[in-house]
Amino acid sequence: MSTPLTRNLNLNGENRTVTVPDEGEQLLYVLRNALGQHGPKFGCGVSQCGACTVLLDGQIRRSCVTPLRTVAEGANVETLDGLGTPEHPHPIQQAFIDEQAAQCAYCINGIVMGALGWLRQRRAAGNTTVPTQEEIAAFLSGEAEGSTLNYICRCGAHVRIMRAIRKAAEVAL
């Protein structure tokens, strides 16, 4: 038996209220179907690929395995939709554009959000250095300290993605 749930969220800086018929509905579907977000994508559905990555209260989260009932009332949710505009992309988006770090662009939304969260977390921990290629590779493969989340680009833009993350860290973060 499903239990309806209403949550107030701060979505990309805007207060939003959402009601779902089942409290177990995954955040990914709430964001896409009820809140009009197109950034988070359904990839694998089991937290393995990263296409659905969002930032939840600043933490990197896989929205495909995050039931809405586990999201705190008033939580801050950041998606790719809220980062920049086509006229004024966020610096990390600009780095990905400059490096042409997307081939099919399906998984890249989640990689951008994960990389943004990772770079912010590094800075918050006092690490203001530009990450090395090895650190970026460890982040993308889920081997970085404090993270087991990996990102899978199936179309071969991996080297360009690594350059974009490094460039974003150099330019703006």
Side-chain angles (χ1 to χ4, degrees), residues 17-85:
T17 300
V18 65
T19 300
V20 295
D22 181 353
E23 67 178 0
E25 187 163 333
Q26 303 300 332
L27 180 60
L28 172 65
Y29 300 115
V30 174
L31 292 169
R32 289 189 61 83
N33 300 335
L35 297 172
Q37 300 297 293
H38 302 289
K41 307 277 189 198
F42 180 85
C44 64
V46 292
S47 186
Q48 293 297 306
C49 71
C52 66
T53 302
V54 299
L55 300 181
L56 181 59
D57 288 329
Q59 300 300 308
I60 301 167
R61 293 288 292 265
R62 298 290 165 85
S63 63
C64 72
V65 293
T66 303
L68 186 61
R69 71 174 173 268
T70 67
V71 177
E73 177 71 13
N76 290 308
V77 181
E78 290 181 77
T79 70
L80 187 76
D81 304 78
L83 281 190
T85 66

Side-chain angles (χ1 to χ4, degrees), residues 99-157:
E99 295 298 331
Q100 298 191 6
Q103 195 165 343
C104 77
Y106 193 82
C107 64
I108 210 68
N109 298 355
I111 294 174
V112 167
M113 293 308 297
L116 178 63
W118 178 63
L119 291 171
R120 284 179 179 169
Q121 289 170 355
R122 290 180 81 242
R123 179 167 282 239
N127 187 347
T128 59
T129 62
V130 173
T132 65
Q133 293 298 320
E134 291 78 18
E135 290 172 315
I136 295 169
F139 158 70
L140 290 170
S141 66
E143 296 173 356
E145 185 177 323
S147 176
T148 57
L149 301 174
N150 63 322
Y151 299 85
I152 300 172
C153 170
R154 294 169 183 85
C155 53

Side-chain angles (χ1 to χ4, degrees), residues 2-14:
S2 60
T3 303
L5 177 68
T6 297
R7 276 283 189 266
N8 295 302
L9 303 172
N10 184 300
L11 176 60
N12 297 322
E14 180 181 328

